[in-house]
Amino acid sequence: QLQLVESGGGLVQPGGSLRLSCVASGFTSDNFGIGWFRQAPGKEREGVSCISASGGITRYVDSVKGRFTISRANAKNTVYLQMNSLKPEDTAVYYCAATEEECTYASGTYFLLGDYWGQGTQVTVSS
């Protein structure tokens, strides 16, 4: 059973940085990407970034391009989301989930494989 655990959220001032981690375990195949999603209260869940199974493809929603960087440490089954120049509108609960292996994108999100999510980690950007 695939399990995902997020960590690294917290409270940061505008312009600050955080690094989120997503650790995967329990999988029998490596043929999936890892996507980062966020959901603010009362708003639709949004796909933020995704990295392919091989690590060779990365995708970002326009609003975070140039500020966020996704990376994979395959030996440790860990995906990071480095978030720089944070803005108040980045405030949300951030989740990671298994995606189609090449991060297929449609309608503001990434194509999920199954329903494998972490517990979420809160990111709050406020002065």
Side-chain angles (χ1 to χ4, degrees):
Q1 184 76 18
L2 178 63
Q3 294 183 328
L4 302 167
V5 178
E6 304 98 333
S7 62
L11 174 64
V12 66
Q13 293 185 333
S17 297
L18 288 171
R19 188 180 73 168
L20 307 184
S21 298
C22 174
V23 179
S25 63
F27 52 86
T28 59
S29 172
D30 291 337
N31 295 328
F32 59 90
I34 293 291
W36 284 99
F37 302 79
R38 65 188 180 187
Q39 189 164 27
K43 293 183 171 60
E44 193 77 13
R45 185 181 65 199
E46 176 187 33
V48 176
S49 186
C50 188
I51 187 165
S52 65
S54 70
I57 299 171
T58 58
R59 305 192 194 281
Y60 303 91
V61 67
D62 286 344
S63 62
V64 310
K65 288 180 179 177
R67 300 189 298 119
F68 292 9
T69 303
I70 192 168
S71 61
R72 181 187 286 270
N74 288 315
K76 299 179 181 179
N77 303 316
T78 301
V79 170
Y80 301 104
L81 185 67
Q82 178 67 46
M83 306 186 295
N84 298 326
S85 302
L86 283 162
K87 303 175 180 179
E89 53 261 44
D90 296 317
T91 296
V93 178
Y94 284 69
Y95 302 89
C96 61
T99 74
E100 187 273 333
E101 63 182 318
E102 294 188 347
C103 296
T104 301
Y105 178 88
S107 301
T109 190
Y110 305 101
F111 196 83
L112 299 176
L113 290 182
D115 192 24
Y116 300 103
W117 296 87
Q119 81 286 355
T121 186
Q122 176 71 49
V123 172
T124 302
V125 185
S126 177
S127 59

